[in-house]
Amino acid sequence: MTRDILYFAWLRERIGLPRERVETDAATVAELVAELKSREPRYAAAFADMAAIRVALDQELAELDAPLGQAREIAFFPPMTGG
Amino acid sequence: MTRDILYFAWLRERIGLPRERVETDAATVAELVAELKSREPRYAAAFADMAAIRVALDQELAELDAPLGQAREIAFFPPMTGG
Amino acid sequence: MRVRLQEAPFDPGAELAGFTGRAAGAGAVVSFTGLVRGDDDAQAPLIRMVIEHYPGMTEKALDAIAAEAASRWALSDALVIHRHGPMRPDEAIVFVATAARHRVAAFEAAAFLMDYLKSRAPFWKKEERAGDERWVAARENDEAALARWRDASG
Amino acid sequence: MRVRLQEAPFDPGAELAGFTGRAAGAGAVVSFTGLVRGDDDAQAPLIRMVIEHYPGMTEKALDAIAAEAASRWALSDALVIHRHGPMRPDEAIVFVATAARHRVAAFEAAAFLMDYLKSRAPFWKKEERAGDERWVAARENDEAALARWRDASG
């Protein structure tokens, strides 16, 4: 399935791009992360500490073991620091 | 001893004056209240419900059974409602 | 820490602007504004409110309340304004502002200042409505609100 | 309930003045202003702060946070303003205001809005100092602050 992957803050900087479109068979967030990490060292480095990473599926916060379902837009980012 | 007695809010209205100077032998707030109540019905009416009355000795909140000590200014008023 | 007791109306927005302008380095500013409510619980509309106070004791109580807040929380600044005399619906009665590095201290200190002002500062409110004048009764939960600060170290 | 996401600076005093002017009948107005701290813990002075956000999700998160506050407390009004992009020391980053009949609801709802904004709205702060750029780390007690609202009915 074709999915848009978005990166924010230091994840965006480490991976070197704000978004990309991927073709993937991953069924869960965890499977997608494993697939990305296997691509290149910069992905492996960016996703090294999953405790420091949050995910949103179609702009809703989700757990890291959530199924991807029909989500078109999957965003990875560090814990939020607004306010 | 000569003391200034002050009244505020509905106590002032019921007694009909904002302050008066009294010559009293009362040693405690309670004794002073008893003395005032014995004077005239308007005092007895004003001090009928002591649960609704607060006292300050020389501008510091005090308990109703407190000794008057050297206080020159004794103020009676209902519970405060500022803010 | 500044405290103002005044009859004149004031503008909460202008007060917050001035306070925030002096709050360099603070990070967090909390304000509370108390307004005269014109309509209350199906009574006749309020014509005006009059606040009586105890000159001399009032200033001492406001200073003591501000000093107590400053001793409990690491505030870089605090401001208390309280009016007395007559005022009209929707006018501001009271304004409290606190500045601190972090938001929890600013929120707690502002709530504390209001809880103390409500039942430890010598102010009494009288509401004037058509054909009726009434001293506002103290709310029991104002005393309860105070109790929560008694054992807390802040 | 209104929510604004903007790059442009804003004036907390003017916002409070406008909010209070529309708060007829409310009785209690609480505001929180978050400011960019120029000096922090013995590091080099801050040159600027840049806030990145997630367009699309940010607006949804702000609306959801405001709706949640409105469902928990009897608010007559609430306002949330959050900036993104570059900003300088002592500029306001965020402004929250709440209006209610009584002060406890106004205080609690404002604290709740800030707790949620801190860790549920997709904003990330980067601090730029001489020779150093650093993403601000989330504070563990921001998560703890959120937990207290989870079981409370408000």
Side-chain angles (χ1 to χ4, degrees), chain B residues 1-82:
Chain B
M1 184 171 170
T2 305
R3 316 222 193 219
D4 287 322
I5 318 287
L6 281 66
Y7 308 104
F8 291 96
W10 56 255
L11 258 148
R12 173 180 53 70
E13 292 177 341
R14 284 192 204 171
I15 291 171
L17 76 181
R19 65 157 63 216
E20 59 186 320
R21 182 157 288 178
V22 303
E23 194 51 48
T24 177
D25 295 325
T28 66
V29 174
E31 285 178 28
L32 176 61
V33 169
E35 195 178 303
L36 292 168
K37 285 175 78 171
S38 70
R39 282 180 164 187
E40 283 182 52
R42 61 194 163 111
Y43 287 93
F47 287 104
D49 177 12
M50 291 304 292
I53 289 178
R54 302 289 179 269
V55 66
L57 303 182
D58 283 341
Q59 307 187 349
E60 296 279 348
L61 286 172
E63 299 296 321
L64 289 170
D65 57 1
L68 292 176
Q70 295 304 306
R72 298 300 316 252
E73 188 172 301
I74 298 152
F76 293 101
F77 41 78
M80 294 160 272
T81 54

Side-chain angles (χ1 to χ4, degrees), chain A residues 9 12-13 73 78 81 83, chain D residues 52 54 82 123-126 135:
Chain A
R12 173 180 53 70
E13 292 178 341
E73 187 172 301
T81 55
Chain D
E52 182 170 328
Y54 182 172
H82 205 301
F123 292 103
W124 300 275
K125 288 175 178 160
K126 186 183 214 172
W135 291 98

Side-chain angles (χ1 to χ4, degrees), chain A residues 6-10 12-13 54 56 58-61 73-75 77-83, chain D residues 52-57 60 82 94 114 118-126 135-138:
Chain A
L6 280 66
Y7 308 105
F8 292 95
W10 56 256
R12 173 180 53 70
E13 292 178 341
R54 302 287 179 269
D58 284 341
Q59 307 186 350
E60 296 279 347
L61 287 172
E73 187 172 301
I74 297 151
F77 41 77
M80 294 159 273
T81 55
Chain D
E52 182 170 328
H53 78 111
Y54 182 172
M57 179 171 169
K60 282 186 200 175
H82 205 301
V94 61
M114 284 309 306
K118 284 269 172 189
S119 44
R120 289 294 179 272
F123 292 103
W124 300 275
K125 288 175 178 160
K126 186 183 214 172
W135 291 98
V136 174

Side-chain angles (χ1 to χ4, degrees), chain B residues 10 78-81, chain C residues 125 127 134-140 142:
Chain B
W10 56 255
M80 294 160 272
T81 54
Chain C
K125 287 176 179 158
E127 293 177 343
R134 192 171 307 183
W135 291 97
V136 173
R139 298 169 67 212
E140 277 188 31
D142 283 336

Side-chain angles (χ1 to χ4, degrees), chain D residues 3 21-22 34 43 47 49-50 54 66-68 89 100 107-108 110 114-116 136 141-142 150:
Chain D
V3 159
R22 292 184 298 270
Q43 297 178 63
I47 296 166
M49 174 176 278
V50 180
Y54 182 172
E68 177 76 13
F107 268 119
E108 286 191 357
M114 284 309 306
D115 286 349
Y116 265 76
V136 174
N141 51 9
D142 283 337
R150 214 152 282 152

Side-chain angles (χ1 to χ4, degrees), chain D residues 11-32:
Chain D
D11 173 352
E15 297 298 341
L16 181 64
F19 187 80
T20 304
R22 292 184 298 270
V29 171
V30 168
S31 79
F32 177 89

